[in-house]
Amino acid sequence: MNSGESTSVSVPVGAPGGWANGPLPPHVRLGSGTLISGEHAFKRFRAKKSDALVIGDNATMDGVHFAVEADGRIQIGDYCYFTNAVLLCELELRIGSYVIIGWNASIADSDFHPLGPAERIVDAIACSPLGKNRPRPAIARRAVVIEDDVWIGPNATILKGVHIGAGAWIEPGALVTRDVPARARVLGNPAQIIGEVS
Amino acid sequence: MTPDRRLEWDWFAGSVPENVLLDESAYLESTYSFHNFRSRLPEAIRVGRGSSVYLGVMFDLGPGARVTLGEYVLMNGARIICDSEIAIGDYSLISWNVVLMDNYRLPLNPSGRREALRAALQREHRRAEAEVPSLPIRIGANVWIGFDCCIMPGVNIGDGAVVGARSVVTHDVAPYTIVAGNPARVVRAFKAEERRPHGAAHA
């Protein structure tokens, strides 16, 4: 593992503002053979914890957004392959090895805002340019765990607290709000089990 | 298109592949759309008269893939994942973030996926793929597909149909019906008098 050094990337020649050999932000640790490409990779990376983003060996992170807030932590195993995925993290995303995430899929471990209407007004003010130093209300956050060998299709969405068992197959466009058993195949909004992987 | 197959307005320093046939009246916004294009068929992509392919459309085509766009087709940022054939009929409208996929690129079986991920490290662009079955997609004429939809392998969508935003289409759609949902279901059918333009409609 190397820490805080620049990494090789696979940005297409001529792509505007690609993450072309830029320095990695602090708190990022990459294994050997791991590539990160894309202009958005660290645009919203505001992590403050040590080892906020740790990726294993031989992973390919093509056009992935690592949107990590101060307390967030993302852990990704070996040989993972994500294409233009959006990872929104305020707490914890724990992703195993050999996980594939398709184009434009998103994963979030937070609701980002409170559910109740009164709390949402308080939050809207606190988030506004006029809300300096106002405390934000409590927001529901729960870690997302994705075990080894999971396949997540393009345009799928995984919400907070979801645990996806090893080898599961998430069909394109699925909205996953509940745990998925190992090797299950799910589809729909909300995602329902439609079978098992062979 | 310039003689060396570049586009004057292109932000990307690429060219239009030789086996992409663009009608001279068709509009292509950027050759970046071919970043994942690797079809070797002589007429891999055909874009018909008056059709537009805007920014963000990606032709992710395998070596034996063919994509046909009819006339007056309007396409924004769609992801076309194709190893066999995807055909889109005249006057069809395809909106942002739509996924058209005729195959899954990787096997359902986890051990097959592990093998493909290890092999990807040696391939150009680290492309992760394996031999998996493809089922052609046929989209009729005058079809409208809304934002963020996924059109799954083997699906046929009949003429005049509408697919609501964020739908995932897993089964065929009958002509002149509106479907929506994930998975998509029929919402209603167009009446006979709604099916044809009043008077001479187009250029």
Side-chain angles (χ1 to χ4, degrees):
Chain A
M1 290 245 180
N2 57 53
S3 142
E5 294 163 26
S6 66
T7 181
S8 53
V9 290
S10 58
V11 172
V13 177
W19 197 260
N21 302 311
L24 289 173
H27 315 306
V28 175
R29 205 147 53 88
L30 304 182
S32 69
T34 284
L35 299 182
I36 295 177
S37 76
E39 59 186 304
H40 305 296
F42 297 109
K43 275 218 167 116
R44 289 175 58 188
F45 189 82
R46 306 187 186 107
K48 296 277 189 288
K49 287 199 160 170
S50 64
D51 285 348
L53 175 64
V54 178
I55 307 179
D57 297 339
N58 299 317
T60 306
M61 301 283 128
D62 184 12
V64 175
H65 299 227
F66 296 102
V68 184
E69 294 301 326
D71 297 331
R73 231 177 210 173
I74 299 181
Q75 190 189 312
I76 297 170
D78 301 331
Y79 288 98
C80 285
Y81 202 112
F82 303 172
T83 308
N84 295 78
V86 181
L87 306 180
L88 302 161
C89 175
E90 292 189 343
L91 181 67
E92 189 179 13
L93 306 181
R94 214 156 66 234
I95 300 173
S97 294
Y98 298 97
V99 171
I100 294 166
I101 303 183
W103 178 76
N104 200 37
S106 45
I107 301 178
D109 62 6
S110 170
D111 283 345
F112 304 102
H113 301 286
L115 185 65
E119 288 83 6
R120 263 185 284 122
I121 291 176
V122 173
D123 196 43
I125 294 169
C127 290
S128 79
L130 304 173
K132 289 263 182 272
N133 302 321
R134 281 183 198 238
R136 292 184 62 186
I139 287 158
R141 298 185 175 108
R142 282 195 291 144
V144 172
V145 179
I146 298 172
E147 294 185 11
D148 294 348
D149 299 299
V150 169
W151 186 90
I152 298 175
N155 279 356
T157 305
I158 316 295
L159 295 185
K160 69 174 194 305
V162 166
H163 185 129
I164 301 181
W169 182 274
I170 313 300
E171 288 284 329
L175 181 77
V176 184
T177 57
R178 290 173 193 278
D179 292 355
V180 177
R183 301 179 78 87
R185 187 172 178 186
V186 301
L187 170 110
N189 177 5
Q192 312 275 346
I193 296 176
I194 57 164
E196 256 192 31
V197 301
S198 45
Chain B
M1 191 161 60
T2 62
D4 60 348
R5 303 187 68 82
R6 287 173 190 277
L7 307 170
E8 286 163 41
W9 48 84
D10 202 348
W11 63 266
F12 185 67
S15 57
V16 180
E18 293 288 341
N19 53 350
V20 172
L21 280 74
L22 276 180
D23 184 90
E24 60 178 36
S25 67
Y27 176 72
L28 174 68
E29 192 149 6
S30 174
T31 56
Y32 186 61
S33 291
F34 304 111
H35 183 58
N36 295 314
F37 173 84
R38 54 208 182 277
S39 178
R40 291 195 286 266
L41 295 187
E43 296 182 7
I45 299 178
R46 243 177 202 290
V47 181
R49 198 163 67 98
S51 286
S52 314
V53 176
Y54 285 103
L55 208 61
V57 172
M58 293 305 283
F59 291 102
D60 182 348
L61 268 58
R66 171 172 286 130
V67 170
T68 314
L69 273 62
E71 300 187 351
Y72 298 94
V73 171
L74 193 59
M75 199 181 244
N76 272 297
R79 184 103 188 173
I80 302 169
I81 300 169
C82 180
D83 282 347
S84 62
E85 188 165 5
I86 296 179
I88 299 170
D90 301 344
Y91 312 107
S92 284
L93 313 167
I94 317 283
S95 50
W96 279 96
N97 285 352
V98 168
V99 174
L100 304 165
M101 51 194 284
D102 73 355
N103 78 101
Y104 286 97
R105 284 277 152 78
L106 288 169
L108 243 71
N109 167 308
S111 60
R113 289 207 297 283
R114 282 194 177 206
E115 217 170 281
L117 285 169
R118 289 199 203 101
L121 297 179
Q122 316 304 328
R123 288 170 184 257
E124 193 198 1
H125 298 307
R126 283 197 173 190
R127 194 159 278 125
E129 56 192 0
E131 286 287 320
V132 292
S134 295
L135 296 168
I137 291 175
R138 198 158 288 279
I139 293 169
N142 191 204
V143 170
W144 187 15
I145 299 179
F147 286 116
D148 294 346
C149 286
C150 300
I151 312 299
M152 303 305 294
V155 163
N156 294 295
I157 300 182
D159 293 347
V162 175
V163 180
R166 283 228 143 220
S167 298
V168 174
V169 185
T170 55
H171 292 95
D172 289 357
V173 176
Y176 299 101
T177 54
I178 302 176
V179 301
N182 178 359
R185 295 180 204 290
V186 177
V187 174
R188 79 169 177 96
F190 286 105
K191 299 184 191 91
E193 66 267 25
E194 294 175 286
R195 296 183 183 186
R196 287 271 168 256
H198 304 286
H202 59 76

